[in-house]
Amino acid sequence: MLLFGIFAFGWSMNSISSVRYALEASARSLQLNNTLTQADIQAVATQKLQALGLQNVNVTITTDPASGGFRMAHVNASYAFVISFPYFSNFPISYTTSVTVPLIANSTAL
């Protein structure tokens, strides 16, 4: 049982790392194309995570007011991973991460 637990915990850490990577790629896409919407960013992240079977990742975007010619966009992702074994209670791991990127202040997105 310990071996299965170690494997499950390692898989959850791999999933968390993959979510972070997909969020960073989504944030870079937003930085390059300020007209992307939250649905577009969610689609970019989902496409990156599809190979792993990670489907319950929620991505949100918030932006700060313009200051000094730039706005800051905060791209957030939340992911819930559940470790479950037969005859044992489930062990959920909730993960939230955020990436902040600068945007040009006069863009009209979001």
Side-chain angles (χ1 to χ4, degrees):
M1 187 54 73
L2 180 63
L3 183 62
F4 289 122
I6 291 170
F7 176 77
F9 186 74
W11 181 254
S12 71
M13 292 296 107
N14 179 55
S15 297
I16 288 170
S17 175
S18 298
V19 169
R20 175 71 185 189
Y21 172 75
L23 185 67
E24 289 172 355
S26 300
R28 285 191 297 273
S29 297
L30 177 63
Q31 191 174 18
L32 293 173
N33 183 0
N34 291 348
T35 61
L36 293 178
T37 64
Q38 184 167 324
D40 296 333
I41 297 299
Q42 177 79 41
V44 171
T46 301
Q47 179 187 15
K48 297 272 183 204
L49 296 170
Q50 218 169 22
L52 292 174
L54 303 177
Q55 300 164 353
N56 55 347
V57 177
N58 296 320
V59 178
T60 60
I61 303 170
T62 56
T63 56
D64 294 339
S67 174
F70 290 94
R71 294 182 303 151
M72 298 303 284
H74 306 280
V75 184
N76 306 302
S78 59
Y79 172 66
F81 184 85
V82 178
I83 297 174
S84 61
F85 292 110
Y87 307 110
F88 290 95
S89 60
N90 291 340
F91 184 74
I93 298 175
S94 297
Y95 177 69
T96 304
T97 187
S98 178
V99 175
T100 303
V101 293
L103 303 174
I104 298 171
N106 61 0
S107 66
T108 59
L110 311 180

